[in-house]
Structures are given as C-alpha cells and as structure tokens.
Amino acid sequence: MGSAVTKSIIWVDNQQSLAEMVSVLTPIELLALDTEFMRTDTFFAKLALLQLSDGESIWLVDFPALSELEPLRQLLNRDDLTTLVHACGEDLEVLDSAVGVVPAKLFDTQLAAAYLNQGYSLGYARLVEQLCGIELDKQATRSDWLQRPLTNAQRSYAACDVEYLHAMHTHLSHQLNLAGRLEWFDEEMVDLLATAKERLVVDGYYLKLTGAWEFSQQQLFALNRACEWRENLARQRDIPRGRIFKDPQLLDAVRSEVRSLSELRSCSEIHPGSLRKFGEQLVELLNRAYQEASASPPLAAPPRPLTRAEGTLFKQLRSVVQECAERLNVAKELLVNKRDLEHLVRQHSDAVAVGNIEWPFRLRSGWRHYQLQPLLAACYAEFGPKGELPSAL
C-alpha cells in the first residue's frame, strides 16, 4: 500500500503562481480535477483545496489564499475543456458556489466504470486498484482541509486524487468505444450537468418530505412556504437547514397546524436556540399560509408509500430492469431508480392506460427510452388490474 506521487506537485497560493498555472493549462483540453472541502456549520461547502492535473504535473491550489479568482474561473469555464473527475456530484456543487464554475464537458470515471459493468458507485481508490493495480493509502480522508499548513501526508493524499485520472480515462474511454457505449455515456454526462444545476433551485424541497403524503392542500401549501423560507434563510446566512428547523420539526408544526409560539414549542424536540431566533418568523409565516392556501393552485403531494399488493408489480418491473441490465452489460442502477419504478406502480393503481403513462424523465428520450421503456410498458400493460400476475409471467 502506498500513495507515492510520481508526478511533480506545484503548490499554488498566490496570484503569481496562479497566473503561471493558468498559462500552462490554458491550451489543455483534458484536465483532471478534484476538490477538498469542509461542510460542518455552513450551508455552502468551504472549498479548501483544488487539485488539477494535465496528466504530467499536479497543481494544488490553496483556494483560501487567493484574492482574485477570475483567472481560475476563465480557465475552468472554457467551452473546449473536458473536466476529468470521479464521483463529481459534490465537486460540481462546490465549484459553482465557491468559484462560479460550471464545466462545459465532463468525463466521470465512476460512471464510466458503471457503463462497463465494472461496479456501481465504485470509490476512487477501488477503481485505481482495479485499473492500475495500485493500492492507495486513504488515511487522510477525514482531514481538516482548512488547516494551514497542510501536512505532507495531506498534500500527498490530495495529489493522489488526480494522479491516476488520465490513465483511467484512457482505459475507460477505449473500453466504452469498443463496447459501443460512448454515445450513451456522453448522454449521461449531459444529464449529470443538468442535475447539478437543479440543486440551485430553491422551490420544491417539500416534495422530498415523504411524511407529508397525507397532508391536506392547506397543509401542503404551508409546508411548501415553510421549506422555501428556510431554504432562503439558510442560504442567506450560510448555515445548515437543521440549524433553523429540522425536517421532522417542520412536518410536525404543519401537521399540528401550529398557530402560536407556545404550540410550536411542543413540536419534535425543537432546540431552544431555533425557537428564540426563528420561532416567531415561522409562526407568522404559517398563519399567513393558512389564510392564503384556499386561493392558491393545488400542489402535488409527496409520493405515498406502496401498498403490499402494489409490491408485486414493483418486483416484476424490477426484474425487467435486471434482465435488461444483464442483456446490455451495464450496471442496473444506471437504468432507472426505485422512485421511478414506484411512480409507475402508482399510476397502474390509478388505472392510467399504458398510452397515457407519465414516464420518468430519463425514460422519455435517449438510450433508456429505446432499450428499457418498451419492456416496462409491456410488463405494465400485462399486469392485471387487481394485481394479478398474467399467465404469461
């Protein structure tokens, strides 16, 4: 086991060294990237270190030390640049909030491995071991990346996170091409960037709170207002949502139709600090929402849990997905998720005809639409109206 870095490492902690890095990397069309950040008492992650590599050298950018970010922003926002990453969901969020960067093109090695059926959600160290035969030392994973100076172990760990991305990209892109999966993978990268942009949206958070599926329209309206208020406040003050009110506390307050501070005090073990700082604002907002709800358009409720009877169709649809994944030789998780299958089952219970199905977004176009949607539609149509299995199954 080891984490020895074979490439040269350049520490970037001032505007001059940043300008020198940008000058070297501007002609590069494939740039490996990773981030180290901290998120404990804030809403937005605090970017502590940015690791970049052109395949020959590694730059460790001491982000808090930089006063002018425009050169970095221009480098990473180039339309002709492909950003090489591994499991980049949080990296994209941090880049956008801290630097104002949204990559034009991505290559995610974790997803590339899934398209080659080498495993789903493989960690970086595991994939390096599989493809490069090198076992990495990951002991610095839980470091305090905002401390300065960083230890040699921390620097070595951070550099390792981009050390092997170019080599893995070469192997994986070749294998994707041989398997005829490059077009599918490119489609996935476009979807990944679109999903990252959705995280910036403030509204609709209430739909994630599945405990509200039985709420009345008045209660849903109040819950939506409360969630939007909390989301905006958390972002403005840069504090975690739970430092204002936790999800169960908002649910309990709306379920109980709280109308006073004393009533709010009895909800779900609310911290005294939350009551003192934000209690009156929440009570005032809820009272106003109760009054305005009747004049507002109806809201969709979070999805209800499946009944035991509906579980039979769910299992049949899941079997279809498994068989399709095996035929295509890709990780089954790439095809469709549990939430999407449950959505189909609920429509079946509501007697929605197969021709009128509201298909999940990822099944409306692209390779999943052609490879999987017809199979799910056939299973859906063949399943009996009362949950009986068709004789053919």
Side-chain angles (χ1 to χ4, degrees):
M1 178 183 296
S3 58
V5 180
T6 60
K7 298 177 176 61
S8 62
I9 301 176
I10 302 151
W11 183 252
V12 178
D13 63 353
N14 56 61
Q15 297 305 132
Q16 180 179 346
S17 57
L18 176 64
E20 292 170 356
M21 181 194 77
V22 169
S23 177
V24 173
L25 294 180
T26 293
I28 299 299
E29 295 183 356
L30 181 65
L31 184 64
L33 178 148
D34 191 43
T35 64
E36 304 298 344
F37 56 87
M38 303 292 290
R39 180 171 12 212
T40 52
D41 298 322
T42 60
F43 183 92
F44 298 105
K46 300 300 181 185
L47 180 56
L49 195 68
L50 180 65
Q51 304 102 285
L52 301 172
S53 177
D54 60 356
E56 300 295 330
S57 301
I58 294 171
W59 286 262
L60 301 182
V61 181
D62 184 7
F63 186 79
L66 300 178
S67 57
E68 175 53 56
L69 300 178
E70 188 58 27
L72 184 62
R73 191 176 296 116
Q74 291 183 7
L75 171 69
L76 299 179
N77 272 332
R78 286 165 36 216
D79 291 338
D80 63 338
L81 179 68
T82 296
T83 304
L84 181 55
V85 290
H86 183 90
C88 67
E90 289 186 303
D91 295 316
L92 294 179
E93 179 185 345
V94 174
L95 283 174
D96 194 9
S97 64
V99 196
V101 165
V102 179
K105 293 178 285 187
L106 287 175
F107 188 103
D108 190 310
T109 54
Q110 185 183 70
L111 282 166
Y115 269 87
L116 295 168
N117 207 21
Q118 295 181 2
Y120 188 75
S121 291
L122 277 179
Y124 177 77
R126 179 74 180 275
L127 191 57
V128 168
E129 185 176 358
Q130 284 189 15
L131 300 186
C132 304
I134 297 172
E135 188 175 356
L136 298 181
D137 181 358
K138 302 296 287 184
Q139 292 183 9
T141 301
R142 298 187 180 278
S143 293
D144 178 0
W145 291 103
L146 287 171
Q147 72 173 4
R148 292 296 183 271
L150 294 178
T151 65
N152 289 335
Q154 286 177 304
R155 293 193 185 200
S156 179
Y157 169 90
C160 274
D161 277 348
V162 291
E163 165 91 0
Y164 302 99
L165 283 175
H166 279 83
M168 293 198 297
H169 167 263
T170 299
H171 174 85
L172 291 168
S173 58
H174 178 66
Q175 292 300 315
L176 286 169
N177 188 45
L178 289 179
R181 294 291 185 263
L182 266 178
E183 185 176 345
W184 294 8
F185 177 74
D186 289 343
E187 186 181 309
E188 185 77 31
M189 294 299 96
V190 172
D191 289 345
L192 180 59
L193 283 170
T195 301
K197 293 177 183 177
E198 290 174 3
R199 295 179 181 176
L200 302 176
V201 177
V202 173
D203 60 347
Y205 185 93
Y206 83 100
L207 290 170
K208 300 177 183 180
L209 308 185
T210 55
W213 68 273
E214 288 186 302
F215 277 16
S216 68
Q217 277 297 311
Q218 183 189 57
Q219 290 172 323
L220 286 175
F221 184 83
L223 180 63
N224 183 36
R225 283 286 183 87
C227 287
E228 288 181 353
W229 162 76
R230 183 186 62 173
E231 192 74 9
N232 284 313
L233 187 60
R235 296 181 184 211
Q236 290 167 8
R237 298 199 176 195
D238 196 15
I239 57 177
R241 297 182 187 95
R243 289 290 181 89
I244 302 172
F245 291 105
K246 295 181 171 63
D247 289 350
Q249 294 164 352
L250 290 185
L251 282 168
D252 197 13
V254 174
R255 185 182 292 110
S256 304
E257 299 190 358
V258 160
R259 295 180 182 275
S260 68
L261 196 59
S262 61
E263 291 177 354
L264 180 61
R265 191 173 287 113
S266 64
C267 291
S268 297
E269 301 179 353
I270 294 177
H271 192 277
S274 294
L275 277 173
R276 184 178 65 257
K277 295 177 183 177
F278 311 112
E280 290 184 359
Q281 293 182 57
L282 178 58
V283 169
E284 181 181 349
L285 178 144
L286 291 176
N287 279 312
R288 189 165 59 249
Y290 298 144
Q291 296 172 2
E292 298 173 357
S294 60
S296 301
L299 292 174
R304 60 170 176 78
L306 295 186
T307 66
R308 182 174 297 181
E310 289 171 329
T312 305
L313 175 55
F314 177 83
K315 291 177 182 178
Q316 286 298 120
L317 294 172
R318 190 171 58 187
S319 295
V320 169
V321 173
Q322 178 67 42
E323 292 170 4
C324 184
E326 292 174 358
R327 175 174 59 82
L328 298 175
N329 196 33
V330 299
K332 66 181 185 298
E333 293 87 351
L334 290 174
L335 291 168
V336 69
N337 59 38
K338 178 183 176 183
R339 181 180 63 253
D340 291 337
L341 292 183
E342 290 179 342
H343 180 58
L344 292 177
V345 172
R346 293 186 191 96
Q347 291 184 80
H348 189 277
S349 295
D350 293 337
V352 175
V354 67
N356 296 325
I357 291 175
E358 180 189 6
W359 289 100
F361 175 76
R362 297 213 298 177
L363 291 173
R364 295 175 192 171
S365 62
W367 69 271
R368 295 176 184 85
H369 173 76
Y370 297 104
Q371 298 290 341
L372 178 61
Q373 196 222 68
L375 304 177
L376 293 175
C379 180
Y380 182 103
E382 292 173 1
F383 204 77
K386 296 183 179 179
E388 304 95 340
L389 281 168
S391 57
L393 294 177

